[in-house]
Amino acid sequence: MTSDTRTDGRAARQRVTLPGLMLALTFATGIVDAVGYLRLDQVFAGNMTGNVVILGMAATGQTELSVLGPVVALFSFLAGAALAGRALRTAVPHWSRRCAGLLGAVGLLLAATALGMATTGVGTPAARVLMAFSLALAMGTQAATARHLDVKDVSTVVVTSTLTGLAADSRLAAARGQRALRRGAAVLLIAAGAVTGAALCQVHEGVAVVVAALVVLAVTGLGHTASTGGDR
């Protein structure tokens, strides 16, 4: 390997930052949640707050909101998070092969879900519940992996706390201005992901999920390549 090659490799690793990778996953979440809401009976695959609120409203019996989808998504998300937490229980507190493996599994699960959407469609309630289960399982795994990596203000699945920090630390409030750029980017990217997902759903919901899968797999590859440590 030449010195120029090694220099280029180091420069590439410096350009790939952990916050940047987590922001890319946030964009993917926006796509997935758009698919869930628009094509899977208003189910959120990543934003569990939305599902809890939907279930609370549905409990009154005065709405036509679906109950099964949000319930399945909620428990599937928890299962994905628990499995990832178990896998990372003894992992080092930074990017490692375990993190790469979990995120790679997320990307492959999203790809498999997209294939299922292309072959069986989402025309039946059973198919929609199955797809919601799969997407939420992927997002739960992603969220727990992101939590382990601990990039402040970028959970990759929700931005409520991010917005709170952005407002509370702004010049009009505490005037601390901490991580304002990162927080703003997280909000914009999840919104951009939702726009992208909604637009791609007009073509086919499977296309939207494929794009999300590609983003996650790209993050996995870049993170693994840029990593200089981690448990083996």
Side-chain angles (χ1 to χ4, degrees):
M1 182 181 294
T2 66
S3 59
D4 288 343
T5 302
R6 288 194 294 269
T7 301
D8 290 342
R10 286 193 295 269
R13 286 192 292 271
Q14 291 172 356
R15 287 193 295 268
V16 177
T17 65
L18 191 54
L21 295 176
M22 296 302 100
L23 287 170
L25 293 180
T26 303
F27 174 78
T29 298
I31 296 176
V32 172
D33 267 343
V35 173
Y37 192 85
L38 295 174
R39 293 291 185 266
L40 306 179
D41 296 331
Q42 298 178 328
V43 171
F44 291 101
N47 180 12
M48 290 301 110
T49 303
N51 288 331
V52 171
V53 171
I54 287 172
L55 291 173
M57 292 187 294
T60 66
Q62 298 181 20
T63 71
E64 297 181 355
L65 294 170
S66 172
V67 173
L68 181 59
V71 167
V72 168
L74 180 59
F75 281 97
S76 180
F77 183 95
L78 292 173
L83 289 171
R86 176 77 177 184
L88 294 169
R89 183 169 58 174
T90 59
V92 291
H94 52 72
W95 188 283
S96 65
R97 288 188 176 183
R98 295 189 197 183
C99 293
L102 286 167
L103 290 177
V106 170
L108 293 176
L109 182 55
L110 290 175
T113 306
L115 180 61
M117 289 177 169
T119 55
T120 66
V122 293
T124 65
R128 291 193 291 273
V129 168
L130 179 61
M131 300 307 167
F133 172 88
S134 182
L135 293 179
L137 183 66
M139 291 296 98
T141 304
Q142 175 184 296
T145 305
R147 182 175 183 271
H148 174 79
L149 293 170
D150 194 27
V151 175
K152 299 298 183 184
D153 298 305
V154 188
S155 72
T156 79
V157 292
V158 292
V159 293
T160 302
S161 59
T162 305
L163 282 167
T164 302
L166 187 64
D169 292 337
S170 67
R171 290 185 179 182
L172 294 175
R176 286 190 288 263
Q178 297 174 344
R179 297 184 292 272
L181 182 60
R182 183 188 302 177
R183 289 165 171 168
V187 175
L188 290 175
L189 281 169
I190 202 167
V195 171
T196 301
L200 292 175
C201 276
Q202 297 182 34
V203 180
H204 193 280
E205 56 274 2
V207 175
V209 178
V210 162
V211 171
L214 291 174
V215 171
V216 175
L217 291 173
V219 166
T220 304
L222 289 170
H224 181 69
T225 300
S227 176
T228 57
D231 76 323
R232 303 295 179 183

